[in-house]
Amino acid sequence: MEIDKAVRECDDRRLKTKYANAIYVIQRALALYSIEEVAFSFNGGKDSTVLLHLLRAGHDLSEANKKCPNGNPQGFPFRTIYFESSSAFPEINSFTHGIATMYSLQMEVIHTDFKSGLEALIQSKSIRAIFLGVRIGDPTAVGQEQFSPSSPGWPPFMRVNPILDWSYRDVWAFLLICKVPYCCLYDKGYTSIGSIHDTVPNALLRTGDSVSGEGKFRPAYMLSDGRLERAGRVKKFSPSTLSVSSSSDGMYKLDFNNSSVLTTSIIAVGDEILSGIVEDHLGPLLCRKLHSIGWLVSKSVTVRNNIDSVAEEVERMRSTNDIVLICGGVGPLHSDVTLAGIAKSFGVRLAPDEEFEEYLWQLIGNQCKGDRNEMALLPEGITELLHHDKLPVPLIEAAEPLSNLCLEFPDVCIGCYRKSRHGPLVISFESKDKARIDSAVVALRKKFHSEAFSEIN
């Protein structure tokens, strides 16, 4: 219970929320499966170390809720599996076995590959669910939720991911606040540990101009940008593809020193523009601004609130323009699909951006609901945020009720837009059945206080 006490007494409101959500997932799994039917996959890394202590806390809290006076006298109750590899760091192996002794883990060491080991384990031990320390930014996390059945071709089991929505910052906040041991490699500049063949210390943590020695890298928890967690993984790219131009402040810069004319295109996203409900004022404004600084606008188009439509237009324009500007469809509402379309065009996925998520928590933390802030999902690996104090994040309060309304009325087209930046949110309803529109309007009014509406037409 020292884990629960440490988190609850800390001042990190964000970590408290992440912790509470993770404990809920664990307790939900324990309600669905017996202790004998679950296993914990431990690899000695920071994420699975966090999960180890969350499982300790989650189990003890469950036992306390059952009012068991003696708690758990047998130590850590979950069957623990460790896939020991010849390519693993000796420090990882040493740490893993040391932790197993420290916390009395029922650890089974498996020397086969992961898939074969799981098949044998599930068949012999009747395992139905496995706790995994997977986070959204991990390559294996694509398409996963907190409860996700195993992929086709794999032995059948439920993947339980309590820390799926945790960021790099969350992981280190937990480890440091709870003062639990972690692998010593993290104090030597390693931020993401794979095998000895593909992992090196993160160069962003290098100190001074030293070339050798134990103290040349700062600890992993000092990495300021969690998006660069995997920068220490060796990538198999040719040297020519690794050339990056950036300024001393870390911001990427466009080369404007050549004399050629820059070409740009503009994409406006919005069903309300195509239906004639509102006029596109921003597109013409951008054209005038760009023309005044000598840029050539080759095309300006409007597309529907549709992921494929956005992706196709971005793909078409980015191949023939220096810069593509997109406006509309960026936000937390159900109709905001622009970012998903951009991600699809570049062949990447949407993943939590740690910097933006932290900014949102500072801005609207009390209004964040659910286990993930959807606005923090950005195209992974290709997004750079440019902050501006005059551009607050809008519409958070309306996002969840409107998303639920769309689920309740799938046959009604529900649109959202603003006629001006500071104007009220306009919600439109379209359907061939007027009775369904009337029902949707009634349902909408029930989701907000009456004072929230300035006009109903």
Side-chain angles (χ1 to χ4, degrees):
M1 298 296 284
E2 78 280 2
I3 298 297
D4 186 71
K5 184 174 185 290
V7 174
R8 294 189 183 280
E9 292 181 353
C10 76
D11 296 326
D12 193 329
R13 185 179 60 184
R14 171 194 168 100
L15 179 62
K16 289 180 178 180
T17 300
K18 299 283 186 175
Y19 171 79
N21 290 337
I23 293 297
Y24 172 80
V25 172
I26 291 169
Q27 293 183 328
R28 179 63 179 156
L30 295 179
L32 295 171
Y33 307 100
S34 67
I35 286 291
E36 294 74 24
E37 293 175 322
V38 299
F40 162 48
S41 179
F42 185 56
N43 63 12
K46 63 185 184 304
D47 298 337
S48 64
T49 299
V50 167
L51 182 53
L52 163 66
H53 296 289
L54 288 173
L55 288 171
R56 292 177 59 223
H59 178 261
D60 284 355
L61 288 169
S62 294
E63 294 299 296
N65 290 337
K66 296 176 185 176
K67 303 191 185 305
C68 297
N70 297 324
N72 176 35
Q74 298 180 348
F76 192 73
F78 301 95
R79 185 184 305 278
T80 305
I81 50 178
Y82 174 52
F83 290 85
E84 191 167 85
S85 169
S86 58
S87 61
F89 282 87
E91 293 89 342
I92 284 287
N93 283 331
S94 176
F95 172 74
T96 301
H97 288 283
I99 286 293
T101 301
M102 180 181 297
Y103 294 106
S104 303
L105 306 187
Q106 306 171 38
M107 193 165 77
E108 296 187 24
V109 180
I110 301 175
H111 296 280
T112 61
D113 64 276
F114 192 71
K115 185 176 181 180
S116 300
L118 281 183
E119 288 176 341
L121 182 73
I122 290 171
Q123 290 176 3
S124 63
K125 307 297 184 181
S126 300
I127 297 297
R128 296 179 58 200
I130 300 178
F131 287 103
L132 301 168
V134 172
R135 293 190 291 117
I136 279 291
D138 299 339
T140 59
V142 177
Q144 288 204 49
E145 297 295 336
Q146 290 171 327
F147 287 85
S148 291
S150 54
S151 303
W154 283 71
F157 67 95
M158 181 63 72
R159 294 175 289 191
V160 184
N161 304 309
I163 63 170
L164 188 66
D165 66 325
W166 286 42
S167 68
Y168 183 85
R169 172 242 188 242
D170 299 325
V171 166
W172 280 110
F174 178 88
L175 293 173
L176 296 177
I177 285 173
C178 295
K179 299 180 180 179
V180 293
Y182 54 82
C183 180
C184 63
L185 289 175
Y186 292 112
D187 284 335
K188 300 177 181 179
Y190 291 83
T191 53
S192 177
I193 300 175
S195 75
I196 57 175
H197 306 299
D198 67 3
T199 309
V200 295
N202 194 321
L204 296 169
L205 293 173
R206 187 184 298 275
T207 59
D209 298 322
S210 60
V211 179
S212 61
E214 289 294 321
K216 67 176 181 178
F217 291 95
R218 290 173 292 155
Y221 57 79
M222 297 189 71
L223 182 68
S224 59
D225 189 346
R227 295 172 297 177
L228 302 174
E229 170 186 0
R230 298 180 67 84
R233 295 295 186 101
V234 178
K235 298 178 176 62
K236 298 178 181 179
F237 295 134
S238 63
S240 61
T241 65
L242 294 177
S243 177
V244 178
S245 175
S246 63
S247 65
S248 59
D249 61 2
M251 300 290 286
Y252 295 101
K253 301 296 182 183
L254 292 171
D255 181 10
F256 293 119
N257 294 325
N258 59 61
S259 58
S260 61
V261 176
L262 288 172
T263 303
T264 183
S265 288
I266 301 169
I267 303 173
V269 182
D271 291 348
E272 65 278 2
I273 298 175
L274 291 173
S275 62
I277 298 175
V278 298
E279 293 183 27
D280 177 19
H281 296 291
L282 186 56
L285 174 63
L286 283 173
C287 288
R288 291 193 294 271
K289 291 284 189 181
L290 293 167
H291 179 74
S292 70
I293 61 174
W295 289 22
L296 175 64
V297 178
S298 63
K299 194 175 185 181
S300 179
V301 301
T302 302
V303 300
R304 299 192 67 83
N305 293 332
N306 177 274
I307 293 175
D308 290 334
S309 298
V310 174
E312 291 169 6
E313 202 60 54
V314 170
E315 180 67 27
R316 185 160 38 246
M317 288 191 176
R318 71 187 180 94
S319 62
T320 57
N321 291 272
D322 296 296
I323 294 176
V324 179
L325 300 174
I326 307 178
C327 53
V330 179
L333 302 177
H334 63 281
S335 55
D336 293 324
V337 300
T338 298
L339 293 175
I342 294 172
K344 184 172 183 178
S345 173
F346 282 85
V348 300
R349 63 197 180 92
L350 292 176
D353 184 284
E354 187 166 331
E355 181 186 0
F356 194 31
E357 191 174 27
E358 185 69 28
Y359 170 70
L360 289 173
W361 269 87
Q362 294 174 2
L363 187 67
I364 42 96
N366 289 332
Q367 300 172 38
C368 292
K369 296 182 179 180
D371 56 18
R372 188 183 308 162
N373 192 329
E374 297 295 337
M375 277 203 72
L377 298 177
L378 301 177
E380 187 177 32
I382 63 171
T383 303
E384 180 183 356
L385 292 168
L386 303 178
H387 294 295
H388 197 293
D389 58 5
K390 293 184 180 179
L391 294 177
V393 181
L395 310 180
I396 298 297
E397 307 90 345
E400 186 177 8
L402 288 175
S403 295
N404 292 335
L405 190 69
C406 290
L407 295 176
E408 296 171 26
F409 296 89
D411 55 330
V412 178
C413 179
I414 302 174
C416 307
Y417 61 92
R418 276 177 162 165
K419 292 183 178 180
S420 65
R421 174 175 295 176
H422 302 292
L425 176 66
V426 179
I427 303 172
S428 63
F429 299 84
E430 291 186 38
S431 174
K432 294 181 179 180
D433 186 344
K434 185 177 183 303
R436 290 292 289 169
I437 292 180
D438 293 339
S439 297
V441 171
V442 171
L444 173 68
R445 296 182 68 174
K446 292 180 179 178
K447 295 181 183 296
F448 297 93
H449 295 294
S450 59
E451 296 82 8
F453 299 96
S454 60
E455 180 182 355
I456 299 178
N457 183 359

Short mmCIF file of all heavy atoms in Angstrom, two decimals, residues 160-186:
data_model
loop_
_atom_site.label_atom_id
_atom_site.label_comp_id
_atom_site.label_asym_id
_atom_site.label_seq_id
_atom_site.Cartn_x
_atom_site.Cartn_y
_atom_site.Cartn_z
N VAL A 160 -4.17 -6.98 -21.52
CA VAL A 160 -4.64 -5.94 -20.60
C VAL A 160 -3.53 -4.90 -20.49
O VAL A 160 -2.41 -5.21 -20.07
CB VAL A 160 -4.98 -6.52 -19.21
CG1 VAL A 160 -5.56 -5.43 -18.32
CG2 VAL A 160 -5.95 -7.68 -19.35
N ASN A 161 -3.84 -3.66 -20.88
CA ASN A 161 -2.84 -2.59 -20.97
C ASN A 161 -3.19 -1.43 -20.02
O ASN A 161 -3.72 -0.41 -20.47
CB ASN A 161 -2.77 -2.08 -22.41
CG ASN A 161 -2.49 -3.18 -23.41
OD1 ASN A 161 -1.55 -3.95 -23.26
ND2 ASN A 161 -3.30 -3.25 -24.46
N PRO A 162 -2.88 -1.54 -18.75
CA PRO A 162 -3.26 -0.49 -17.80
C PRO A 162 -2.60 0.86 -18.03
O PRO A 162 -3.13 1.89 -17.64
CB PRO A 162 -2.86 -1.08 -16.44
CG PRO A 162 -2.80 -2.56 -16.66
CD PRO A 162 -2.31 -2.71 -18.06
N ILE A 163 -1.40 0.87 -18.63
CA ILE A 163 -0.70 2.15 -18.81
C ILE A 163 -0.65 2.57 -20.28
O ILE A 163 0.25 3.29 -20.69
CB ILE A 163 0.73 2.10 -18.21
CG1 ILE A 163 1.59 1.06 -18.93
CG2 ILE A 163 0.68 1.82 -16.72
CD1 ILE A 163 3.08 1.15 -18.54
N LEU A 164 -1.63 2.13 -21.04
CA LEU A 164 -1.64 2.43 -22.47
C LEU A 164 -1.58 3.93 -22.74
O LEU A 164 -0.92 4.37 -23.69
CB LEU A 164 -2.90 1.83 -23.12
CG LEU A 164 -2.97 1.89 -24.64
CD1 LEU A 164 -1.90 1.02 -25.27
CD2 LEU A 164 -4.35 1.46 -25.13
N ASP A 165 -2.24 4.73 -21.92
CA ASP A 165 -2.30 6.17 -22.16
C ASP A 165 -1.24 6.95 -21.38
O ASP A 165 -1.29 8.18 -21.33
CB ASP A 165 -3.69 6.70 -21.82
CG ASP A 165 -4.01 6.60 -20.34
OD1 ASP A 165 -3.56 5.61 -19.71
OD2 ASP A 165 -4.71 7.47 -19.80
N TRP A 166 -0.29 6.27 -20.77
CA TRP A 166 0.77 6.95 -20.02
C TRP A 166 1.84 7.48 -20.98
O TRP A 166 2.18 6.83 -21.97
CB TRP A 166 1.41 6.01 -19.00
CG TRP A 166 0.57 5.74 -17.80
CD1 TRP A 166 -0.76 5.50 -17.75
CD2 TRP A 166 1.02 5.66 -16.44
NE1 TRP A 166 -1.18 5.28 -16.47
CE2 TRP A 166 -0.10 5.37 -15.64
CE3 TRP A 166 2.27 5.80 -15.83
CZ2 TRP A 166 -0.01 5.21 -14.26
CZ3 TRP A 166 2.36 5.65 -14.45
CH2 TRP A 166 1.23 5.37 -13.68
N SER A 167 2.39 8.62 -20.66
CA SER A 167 3.49 9.19 -21.44
C SER A 167 4.82 8.86 -20.76
O SER A 167 4.87 8.33 -19.64
CB SER A 167 3.33 10.70 -21.55
OG SER A 167 3.52 11.32 -20.28
N TYR A 168 5.89 9.21 -21.44
CA TYR A 168 7.23 9.04 -20.88
C TYR A 168 7.35 9.80 -19.57
O TYR A 168 7.89 9.30 -18.58
CB TYR A 168 8.25 9.55 -21.89
CG TYR A 168 9.70 9.38 -21.51
CD1 TYR A 168 10.37 8.20 -21.77
CD2 TYR A 168 10.41 10.43 -20.93
CE1 TYR A 168 11.71 8.05 -21.46
CE2 TYR A 168 11.75 10.29 -20.61
CZ TYR A 168 12.40 9.10 -20.87
OH TYR A 168 13.73 8.95 -20.55
N ARG A 169 6.81 11.00 -19.56
CA ARG A 169 6.84 11.82 -18.34
C ARG A 169 6.09 11.16 -17.20
O ARG A 169 6.53 11.18 -16.06
CB ARG A 169 6.25 13.20 -18.67
CG ARG A 169 6.04 14.10 -17.44
CD ARG A 169 4.56 14.41 -17.28
NE ARG A 169 4.32 15.40 -16.26
CZ ARG A 169 3.62 15.17 -15.16
NH1 ARG A 169 3.11 13.98 -14.93
NH2 ARG A 169 3.42 16.13 -14.28
N ASP A 170 4.94 10.54 -17.51
CA ASP A 170 4.15 9.88 -16.47
C ASP A 170 4.91 8.72 -15.84
O ASP A 170 4.88 8.52 -14.63
CB ASP A 170 2.83 9.36 -17.05
CG ASP A 170 1.96 10.46 -17.61
OD1 ASP A 170 1.96 11.56 -17.03
OD2 ASP A 170 1.28 10.22 -18.62
N VAL A 171 5.59 7.95 -16.70
CA VAL A 171 6.35 6.79 -16.22
C VAL A 171 7.42 7.22 -15.22
O VAL A 171 7.54 6.65 -14.12
CB VAL A 171 6.99 6.05 -17.41
CG1 VAL A 171 8.05 5.05 -16.94
CG2 VAL A 171 5.93 5.32 -18.22
N TRP A 172 8.17 8.26 -15.57
CA TRP A 172 9.24 8.68 -14.68
C TRP A 172 8.72 9.40 -13.45
O TRP A 172 9.30 9.29 -12.35
CB TRP A 172 10.26 9.52 -15.43
CG TRP A 172 11.19 8.64 -16.21
CD1 TRP A 172 11.27 8.49 -17.56
CD2 TRP A 172 12.15 7.74 -15.64
NE1 TRP A 172 12.20 7.55 -17.88
CE2 TRP A 172 12.77 7.07 -16.72
CE3 TRP A 172 12.54 7.42 -14.35
CZ2 TRP A 172 13.75 6.11 -16.53
CZ3 TRP A 172 13.52 6.46 -14.16
CH2 TRP A 172 14.12 5.81 -15.24
N ALA A 173 7.62 10.10 -13.59
CA ALA A 173 7.02 10.73 -12.41
C ALA A 173 6.64 9.66 -11.39
O ALA A 173 6.88 9.81 -10.19
CB ALA A 173 5.80 11.55 -12.82
N PHE A 174 6.06 8.57 -11.87
CA PHE A 174 5.64 7.48 -10.99
C PHE A 174 6.84 6.84 -10.31
O PHE A 174 6.86 6.64 -9.08
CB PHE A 174 4.86 6.44 -11.79
CG PHE A 174 4.40 5.26 -10.99
CD1 PHE A 174 3.19 5.26 -10.32
CD2 PHE A 174 5.19 4.11 -10.90
CE1 PHE A 174 2.76 4.18 -9.57
CE2 PHE A 174 4.78 3.01 -10.16
CZ PHE A 174 3.57 3.05 -9.49
N LEU A 175 7.86 6.47 -11.09
CA LEU A 175 9.02 5.78 -10.53
C LEU A 175 9.73 6.63 -9.49
O LEU A 175 10.18 6.12 -8.45
CB LEU A 175 9.99 5.40 -11.65
CG LEU A 175 9.50 4.34 -12.64
CD1 LEU A 175 10.49 4.17 -13.79
CD2 LEU A 175 9.29 3.00 -11.95
N LEU A 176 9.84 7.92 -9.75
CA LEU A 176 10.57 8.80 -8.83
C LEU A 176 9.76 9.14 -7.60
O LEU A 176 10.29 9.19 -6.48
CB LEU A 176 10.99 10.08 -9.56
CG LEU A 176 11.98 9.88 -10.72
CD1 LEU A 176 12.25 11.20 -11.42
CD2 LEU A 176 13.28 9.25 -10.24
N ILE A 177 8.46 9.36 -7.77
CA ILE A 177 7.61 9.67 -6.62
C ILE A 177 7.48 8.47 -5.69
O ILE A 177 7.50 8.61 -4.46
CB ILE A 177 6.23 10.16 -7.10
CG1 ILE A 177 6.33 11.60 -7.63
CG2 ILE A 177 5.19 10.11 -5.98
CD1 ILE A 177 5.07 12.12 -8.28
N CYS A 178 7.36 7.29 -6.27
CA CYS A 178 7.21 6.08 -5.46
C CYS A 178 8.54 5.55 -4.94
O CYS A 178 8.56 4.63 -4.11
CB CYS A 178 6.48 5.00 -6.27
SG CYS A 178 4.78 5.43 -6.70
N LYS A 179 9.65 6.08 -5.47
CA LYS A 179 11.00 5.71 -5.01
C LYS A 179 11.23 4.21 -5.08
O LYS A 179 11.72 3.58 -4.13
CB LYS A 179 11.23 6.22 -3.58
CG LYS A 179 11.14 7.73 -3.45
CD LYS A 179 11.36 8.21 -2.02
CE LYS A 179 11.25 9.72 -1.93
NZ LYS A 179 11.45 10.21 -0.54
N VAL A 180 10.86 3.63 -6.23
CA VAL A 180 11.06 2.20 -6.43
C VAL A 180 12.30 1.98 -7.29
O VAL A 180 12.68 2.85 -8.08
CB VAL A 180 9.83 1.56 -7.10
CG1 VAL A 180 8.63 1.59 -6.17
CG2 VAL A 180 9.50 2.25 -8.41
N PRO A 181 12.97 0.84 -7.16
CA PRO A 181 14.18 0.59 -7.96
C PRO A 181 13.85 0.38 -9.43
O PRO A 181 12.78 -0.11 -9.78
CB PRO A 181 14.74 -0.70 -7.33
CG PRO A 181 13.58 -1.36 -6.67
CD PRO A 181 12.68 -0.26 -6.22
N TYR A 182 14.79 0.78 -10.29
CA TYR A 182 14.68 0.54 -11.72
C TYR A 182 16.05 0.16 -12.25
O TYR A 182 17.07 0.34 -11.56
CB TYR A 182 14.11 1.76 -12.45
CG TYR A 182 14.85 3.06 -12.19
CD1 TYR A 182 16.01 3.39 -12.89
CD2 TYR A 182 14.39 3.97 -11.24
CE1 TYR A 182 16.69 4.56 -12.66
CE2 TYR A 182 15.05 5.16 -11.00
CZ TYR A 182 16.21 5.46 -11.71
OH TYR A 182 16.88 6.63 -11.47
N CYS A 183 16.11 -0.33 -13.47
CA CYS A 183 17.38 -0.81 -14.03
C CYS A 183 18.41 0.32 -14.10
O CYS A 183 18.09 1.45 -14.50
CB CYS A 183 17.14 -1.40 -15.43
SG CYS A 183 18.65 -2.02 -16.21
N CYS A 184 19.64 0.01 -13.74
CA CYS A 184 20.70 1.02 -13.67
C CYS A 184 21.04 1.62 -15.03
O CYS A 184 21.64 2.71 -15.10
CB CYS A 184 21.96 0.41 -13.05
SG CYS A 184 22.68 -0.94 -14.01
N LEU A 185 20.67 0.97 -16.13
CA LEU A 185 20.98 1.52 -17.45
C LEU A 185 20.31 2.87 -17.67
O LEU A 185 20.82 3.71 -18.41
CB LEU A 185 20.53 0.54 -18.55
CG LEU A 185 21.34 -0.74 -18.71
CD1 LEU A 185 20.70 -1.66 -19.74
CD2 LEU A 185 22.79 -0.43 -19.09
N TYR A 186 19.18 3.08 -17.03
CA TYR A 186 18.47 4.34 -17.20
C TYR A 186 19.23 5.51 -16.58
O TYR A 186 19.04 6.66 -16.98
CB TYR A 186 17.06 4.25 -16.59
CG TYR A 186 16.16 3.32 -17.37
CD1 TYR A 186 15.73 2.12 -16.81
CD2 TYR A 186 15.76 3.62 -18.66
CE1 TYR A 186 14.90 1.25 -17.51
CE2 TYR A 186 14.93 2.77 -19.38
CZ TYR A 186 14.52 1.58 -18.80
OH TYR A 186 13.72 0.73 -19.50
#
